[in-house]
Amino acid sequence: MTVLDLGILISGRGSNMEAILSSIINDKSSQVTPQIVISDNAEAQGLRIAAEMFGVPVLAIPGRGLRGWEYDSKLAAALEQHGVTPAKGLVCLAGFMRLLGPEFVRRYSARIMNIHPALLPAFPGLHAQRQAIEYGAKVSGCSVHFVDEGTDTGPVILQRAVQVLESDTEESLASRILYAEHELYPLAVRLFAEGRLSVEGRRVRILGQSQTGA
Ligand code: GRF
C-alpha cells in the first residue's frame, strides 16, 4: 500500500535527489513511492539520473518568463497529475533554484521540505558555505526544514553539524556538508513517511525519539 507519494524538484546535479531515491529503494519496508522528478532546467543532470538509474518519471518545466503562480500553478498541476496531492503527497526541494510563492506553499502546507547547506537560521540564501567561511564560523552544517513563505525560514526538522577547518575552501566545505546532507535528507523523508513529524508552531517534534537523541 502506498502511504506517501513523493515529488522531487531539482535544478541541477541532483545528488540529494539521488540519495533520497537510493534510500527508498534500499529500504524494503519503505512506504514512499517516488512519483515524479521535476526540473525548471531541462538540462539538469538529475533528470537523467532519475530516469535512467531509478526509472522515475521526469518532467522539465522551464521557468523563463513565468513568475509566481504562473509558474507554480504548472508545478502544482504536474505534481497532482502524478499523484503528489496536497492530501497525501510530499514535495522535496533538492537544489531547486526557484522560490515558491505563497499560493503553492499554502496549498502544500507542511508538505514541502527543503535542504539548506548551513545550520539555520545562520547563513540563509545563496552561497551558504561561502558565507560560513567568510563569517569565520567554526561550525556549519546542514538543515532540513519545512518550507514556509520565507526564504529558508520554515520549521527545522533535522540538522547536522560539520566543522569548518582553517584550510577549508568553499568547495571543500561544501563537499563535506554535502556528505552530511545525503544522510540527513533521506532520514527526514523517512520520518515524515512514518508519520513521526509533528509541527507545533516553529517546533518540529520527532515522535518516538528518545530524549538522548537516538
Ligand atoms: C545542496 O547543497 C543543497 O543543500 C542546496 O543545493 C545543493 C543541491 O545539490 N539546496 P544537489 O543538486 O542535490 O547535488
Side-chain angles (χ1 to χ4, degrees):
M1 186 184 73
T2 291
V3 170
L4 185 65
D5 294 303
L6 177 67
I8 306 180
L9 308 187
I10 63 168
S11 294
R13 178 175 62 179
S15 70
N16 277 288
M17 171 210 75
E18 189 175 339
I20 292 169
L21 295 177
S22 294
S23 93
I24 292 168
I25 282 181
N26 291 331
D27 174 3
K28 295 284 167 267
S29 64
S30 177
Q31 296 159 312
V32 183
T33 304
Q35 299 286 17
I36 183 78
V37 172
I38 302 175
S39 176
D40 59 334
N41 164 20
E43 306 303 318
Q45 197 190 340
L47 286 181
R48 273 194 287 119
I49 295 172
E52 289 168 18
M53 284 177 56
F54 296 95
V56 176
V58 297
L59 186 64
I61 307 181
R64 192 183 291 202
L66 298 179
R67 292 221 203 135
W69 184 242
E70 267 181 308
Y71 183 82
D72 293 354
S73 59
K74 289 177 184 284
L75 267 186
L79 286 165
E80 290 188 30
Q81 262 168 26
H82 287 84
V84 185
T85 64
K88 61 183 190 68
L90 174 68
V91 179
C92 284
L93 312 185
F96 185 62
M97 298 307 286
R98 286 183 71 101
L99 293 177
L100 296 168
E103 294 91 343
F104 187 96
V105 170
R106 273 184 234 129
R107 200 180 185 93
Y108 282 91
S109 171
R111 288 186 169 270
I112 312 169
M113 286 183 186
N114 182 42
I115 187 148
H116 182 74
L119 295 177
L120 293 169
F123 313 126
L126 294 174
H127 308 299
Q129 304 92 336
R130 189 193 306 167
Q131 290 186 56
I133 290 175
E134 286 176 355
Y135 191 84
K138 302 292 187 197
V139 174
S140 191
C142 52
S143 310
V144 181
H145 63 94
F146 283 115
V147 172
D148 67 7
E149 293 176 26
T151 302
D152 302 324
T153 52
V156 170
I157 301 166
L158 294 172
Q159 292 186 304
R160 184 153 302 168
V162 171
Q163 242 190 315
V164 181
L165 306 176
E166 275 175 26
S167 58
D168 263 330
T169 60
E170 184 179 352
E171 291 70 30
S172 65
L173 179 59
S175 84
R176 280 207 317 291
I177 292 177
L178 194 63
Y179 187 81
E181 292 179 37
H182 293 166
E183 292 184 355
L184 212 60
Y185 212 172
L187 177 57
V189 172
R190 180 153 62 80
L191 290 170
F192 186 95
E194 290 171 351
R196 291 175 59 195
L197 300 180
S198 126
V199 186
E200 295 163 15
R202 282 213 52 84
R203 303 189 75 180
V204 179
R205 285 206 320 139
I206 301 176
L207 308 173
Q209 188 184 41
S210 81
Q211 291 306 308
T212 54

